[in-house]
Amino acid sequence: MMLRFLSAIVFVGLLLSGCTTQGAREDGAAKAMHAYLAGMPKAELHLHLEGTLSPETIVRITQRNGLDYFTTVEEVKQSLTSRPPGLMGFLDHHFKSQEVMQTRQDFYDATYQLAEKLADNNIVYADVFFDPQAHTTRGVTFTDMFEGIDTGRVDAEAAFGVTINLIMCIQRERSVESALEMLDQAFPFRPRIIGLGMDSGPEYGNPPVKFRAVYSRAREEGYFLTGHHDVDVRDSIKHIWQSLDVIGMNRIDHGLNASDDAELTKELARRGICLTGSPVMRSTDPAPQDVDRIRTLDSAGVCISLNSDDPEEFESGYLTNMLILFQEASDYSKADMTRLMLNAFNSIWEPAAETNAYVAELKNYAAAHDVAWGEVMYADHSELGAE
Ligand SMILES: [Zn+2]
């Protein structure tokens, strides 16, 4: 009896130690994946300056400007957690927080603190959106806003080694005249602004063709073109076609509903037009959004990258954390995750020599971690997005 009892203890002990070893192995694999994603050299192509204001920065600027709201970090956090669901609820908080920015110094601080966060995430290249109309309509001059952002960008590049380019966005709910006026104001600064985008909302009722004349002039002035196509907006697929065929966008922001339309998916892959996906996680969602759509597009050979969008306003946070959440939800391999990052590097608007240098850095990183480049590349496509 005693022997049987002892045998049972040994058996349970073996089982437990087996479980522990298994658990430790899984833990080890997850840790290795997290370390790989954290250390990976990254590009971020879909990031709004106004969505990267940390509660601490908002409060610092509020106090400096003598404002009577958002005077404590708790108040900012409370506003974030109590906002209504959906895009318009999100924009309520987004607009309120960006209104604290009034002086050139405020825009400088916002940009500089963002670059520091990017460096923490091993982001070596970023395109950063900014919304001039949200500021100039409040009385901030285009010059003060832009010089603040641009000086912050240049100083941060020297301090943290992150290359940042700026994309000026049309707020789509505003008029065509207002967007054209923005282009006029931006003209003297054009060489320091790489692209023209379009954001805000609602999208339905404000389709890409509304701004055909603005985009057309921007192209003549040398801007690269992109624009938001938020997920599950009415007529999203129609809007993406407009942006491809009428506007001639160089990139598409979001645009994940393309996965619902086989012809559009095929065309995006054929043309090598890249999508900037943002599978963000919010307090109302149990997991990162749109994982299946991203998988469908990726499997079809569409150049799609992962981006953090408004990292201070979503639970998914900055890019390393978002990559970890996406990897856990998708069970993507290291090679798959590397391919999504390769797509980002291949779709930046820098001369080929610089793009190639970033790709070489990523390739070296993958090789140093035994990730086979042949598995990173698409089965039937090579260097998608490269032009
Ligand atoms: Zn966005």
Side-chain angles (χ1 to χ4, degrees):
M1 183 69 192
M2 189 58 162
L3 189 62
R4 280 182 65 189
F5 179 67
L6 278 174
S7 303
I9 288 176
V10 170
F11 178 66
V12 170
L14 280 173
L15 264 184
L16 282 175
S17 73
C19 286
T20 310
T21 309
Q22 179 76 17
R25 210 176 297 133
E26 279 170 9
D27 244 28
K31 270 188 194 151
M33 177 61 87
H34 294 178
Y36 182 74
L37 295 175
M40 183 191 279
K42 302 178 186 71
E44 164 83 87
L45 307 178
H46 185 147
L47 183 65
H48 300 265
L49 177 67
E50 294 87 352
T52 65
L53 298 169
S54 68
E56 291 75 15
T57 300
I58 292 174
V59 168
R60 197 167 63 245
I61 294 176
T62 293
Q63 289 173 351
R64 189 161 67 202
N65 292 338
L67 303 174
D68 62 358
Y69 70 99
F70 286 164
T71 53
T72 65
V73 167
E74 289 65 37
E75 195 186 335
V76 180
K77 288 183 176 166
Q78 176 62 30
S79 166
L80 263 174
T81 51
S82 62
R83 65 191 165 179
L87 176 66
M88 300 318 284
F90 163 79
L91 288 175
D92 271 354
H93 172 87
H94 186 73
F95 290 145
K96 194 176 166 194
S97 64
Q98 71 191 33
E99 282 182 11
V100 304
M101 292 202 288
Q102 298 180 349
T103 67
R104 192 178 290 210
Q105 185 67 45
D106 300 340
F107 287 91
Y108 177 96
D109 290 354
T111 310
Y112 194 88
Q113 67 107 38
L114 165 61
E116 196 169 4
K117 292 265 174 60
L118 298 181
D120 286 348
N121 282 259
N122 283 318
I123 291 169
V124 293
Y125 178 91
D127 280 337
V128 174
F129 295 127
F130 65 108
D131 285 345
Q133 291 158 296
H135 309 298
T136 55
T137 52
R138 298 185 287 113
V140 180
T141 68
F142 193 99
T143 303
D144 272 350
M145 172 206 63
F146 185 74
E147 291 292 7
I149 294 172
D150 196 45
T151 314
R153 174 183 77 91
V154 171
D155 286 357
E157 187 164 335
F160 308 114
V162 187
T163 298
I164 296 175
N165 276 316
L166 299 170
I167 300 176
M168 171 174 81
C169 289
I170 302 165
Q171 288 190 305
R172 68 194 322 152
E173 70 276 21
R174 296 184 192 269
S175 67
V176 173
E177 292 69 32
S178 172
L180 287 169
E181 189 189 352
M182 177 180 81
L183 268 189
D184 287 339
Q185 292 166 337
F187 191 73
F189 308 101
R190 159 61 200 98
R192 292 186 270 162
I193 308 173
I194 199 169
L196 179 73
M198 174 174 56
D199 60 11
S200 202
E203 181 175 329
Y204 184 72
N206 298 294
V209 286
K210 173 180 167 185
F211 296 101
R212 185 179 189 163
V214 184
Y215 274 111
S216 167
R217 210 183 100 193
R219 183 190 294 104
E220 283 168 20
E221 292 179 5
Y223 291 93
F224 287 94
L225 308 180
T226 189
H228 275 51
H229 301 74
D230 284 288
V231 182
D232 290 341
V233 165
R234 190 169 158 191
D235 284 350
S236 182
I237 288 169
K238 190 170 138 190
H239 292 173
I240 298 171
W241 278 117
Q242 284 177 6
S243 292
L244 293 180
D245 290 341
V246 182
I247 306 292
M249 285 191 188
N250 304 96
R251 247 176 13 216
I252 299 284
D253 297 315
H254 297 299
L256 302 184
N257 283 101
S259 66
D260 307 338
D261 186 291
E263 195 193 340
L264 179 55
T265 300
K266 206 167 143 191
E267 195 56 18
L268 286 167
R270 192 186 70 76
R271 297 193 199 184
I273 298 282
C274 295
L275 310 185
T276 62
S278 295
V280 297
M281 197 162 92
R282 301 182 252 231
S283 52
T284 45
D285 302 317
Q289 301 176 324
D290 307 314
V291 172
D292 290 340
R293 285 187 166 127
I294 290 171
R295 192 195 308 277
T296 301
L297 291 164
D298 180 38
S299 308
V302 174
C303 168
I304 181 158
S305 59
L306 302 182
N307 305 271
S308 65
D309 206 350
D310 296 285
E312 291 288 348
E313 298 175 348
F314 292 123
E315 278 69 5
S316 35
Y318 285 87
L319 193 53
T320 294
N321 194 52
M322 156 159 291
L323 294 182
I324 289 170
L325 289 171
F326 179 86
Q327 190 281 324
E328 285 174 349
S330 63
D331 205 25
Y332 260 32
S333 68
K334 285 181 185 169
D336 294 331
M337 295 303 291
T338 308
R339 179 173 59 255
L340 296 180
M341 193 53 66
L342 174 66
N343 289 343
F345 282 118
N346 274 333
S347 47
I348 66 178
W349 298 322
E350 289 280 6
E354 290 178 43
T355 304
N356 292 342
Y358 288 127
V359 171
E361 192 181 344
L362 182 67
K363 204 168 177 176
N364 289 340
Y365 182 78
H369 292 80
D370 298 324
V371 174
W373 200 248
E375 290 172 28
V376 171
M377 307 302 288
Y378 289 101
D380 303 313
H381 310 77
S382 61
E383 304 287 356
L384 276 175
E387 292 183 10

